[in-house]
Amino acid sequence: MNTKMVEILLIEDLEEDAKLAIRALKKHASTHSVKWVDDGDEALLYLEEVSRNTKDHVQRIILLDLKLPKMSGLDILQEIKSKSHLKEIPVIVMTSSKENKDIKTAYERGANSYIVKPVDFEQYSKVLKDIGNYWLTLNEQP
């Protein structure tokens, strides 16, 4: 069982969706921290900044929306997975798109999982609980 501190980086442009996700994550994964950024540029800057800190031994997972301003989630995913110091971070695409093209492209660019966001808050909360249980408790990271 994984007891290390884990930071969840939430990349989501819609404040309402971000607040719902943060609330659900804190309810079900309260021992971990959640960092929210609302665009890809900010996410990449943040990841570069924390990766330069050699004392930073925090494990991270990324929850990534695909529909973002400035840079698409698919482009952010490709950037993360193309950098040797970031590519081991699990990226869970969590979006409203059910398009096969998006799903296929996400996996081709290195997504570790692809989840379609439920519209209902209770279902959304359950999905985030399940994500937290798997990625923060069961899954072992290097």
Side-chain angles (χ1 to χ4, degrees), residues 11 39-41 43-44 47 64-83 86 91 93 101-102 105-111:
I11 308 171
D39 71 56
D41 291 340
L44 292 172
L47 287 168
L64 174 65
D65 189 19
L66 291 186
K67 297 174 182 163
L68 297 166
K70 299 183 187 175
M71 176 184 247
S72 79
L74 291 170
D75 290 340
I76 295 163
L77 175 61
Q78 186 169 337
E79 273 294 309
I80 291 167
K81 295 300 183 174
S82 72
K83 297 180 183 294
L86 300 177
V91 178
V93 172
K101 180 181 175 206
D102 288 339
T105 303
Y107 281 116
E108 287 172 350
R109 294 188 183 187

Side-chain angles (χ1 to χ4, degrees), residues 35-71:
K35 168 74 176 163
W36 170 45
V37 295
D38 62 4
D39 71 56
D41 291 340
E42 187 179 352
L44 292 172
L45 285 172
Y46 176 76
L47 287 168
E48 289 297 337
E49 180 181 308
V50 295
S51 72
R52 282 194 289 271
N53 181 357
T54 57
K55 294 179 184 177
D56 179 32
H57 297 291
V58 175
Q59 289 184 334
R60 289 183 172 75
I61 65 168
I62 298 170
L63 293 178
L64 174 65
D65 189 19
L66 291 186
K67 297 174 182 163
L68 297 166
K70 299 183 187 175
M71 176 184 247

Side-chain angles (χ1 to χ4, degrees), residues 92-128:
I92 298 111
V93 172
M94 195 155 178
T95 187
S96 58
S97 175
K98 292 182 182 182
E99 296 293 321
N100 280 335
K101 180 181 175 206
D102 288 339
I103 297 167
K104 185 175 189 276
T105 303
Y107 281 116
E108 287 172 350
R109 294 188 183 187
N112 297 89
S113 185
Y114 190 104
I115 297 169
V116 177
K117 284 185 208 175
V119 183
D120 175 69
F121 175 73
E122 291 305 316
Q123 285 288 43
Y124 190 51
S125 184
K126 183 187 178 321
V127 165
L128 288 168

